[in-house]
Amino acid sequence: MAPERRSPGARCLRAIWEALVDYGSYWVWIPPLPEAERPPDLAGPAPYHPERLCPELPLTAVERRLLEQLRGRG
């Protein structure tokens, strides 16, 4: 497929537009949320997540070793 052909003016406007978008992304200040509006800290998988479906099953040997590594004991 042949590349799309644009007029020099359209290419110039496109370059200017992309430059303005890039410039704006660096200089836009987003204020922090007030304490009352902050989302709660995550505390594990969400309800019905696959990791919560079988809490009654014990961990396998590999899973126990991985858990120890994640906790810094291995």
Side-chain angles (χ1 to χ4, degrees):
M1 183 176 225
E4 184 180 338
R5 297 188 185 255
R6 294 185 179 149
S7 68
R11 286 193 306 250
C12 182
L13 287 175
R14 176 73 178 204
I16 291 171
W17 174 256
E18 290 177 359
L20 288 172
V21 168
D22 289 341
Y23 181 76
S25 67
Y26 287 116
W27 295 104
V28 173
W29 180 71
I30 300 173
L33 289 174
E35 196 69 35
E37 295 180 19
R38 289 190 185 154
D41 291 333
L42 299 178
Y48 306 111
H49 189 277
E51 292 179 2
R52 291 201 181 232
L53 292 180
C54 297
E56 66 277 359
L57 294 177
L59 297 175
T60 64
V62 173
E63 291 170 336
R64 280 193 303 272
R65 277 186 276 146
L66 289 171
L67 184 61
E68 289 174 1
Q69 287 178 359
L70 289 172
R71 291 183 176 166
R73 299 180 190 156

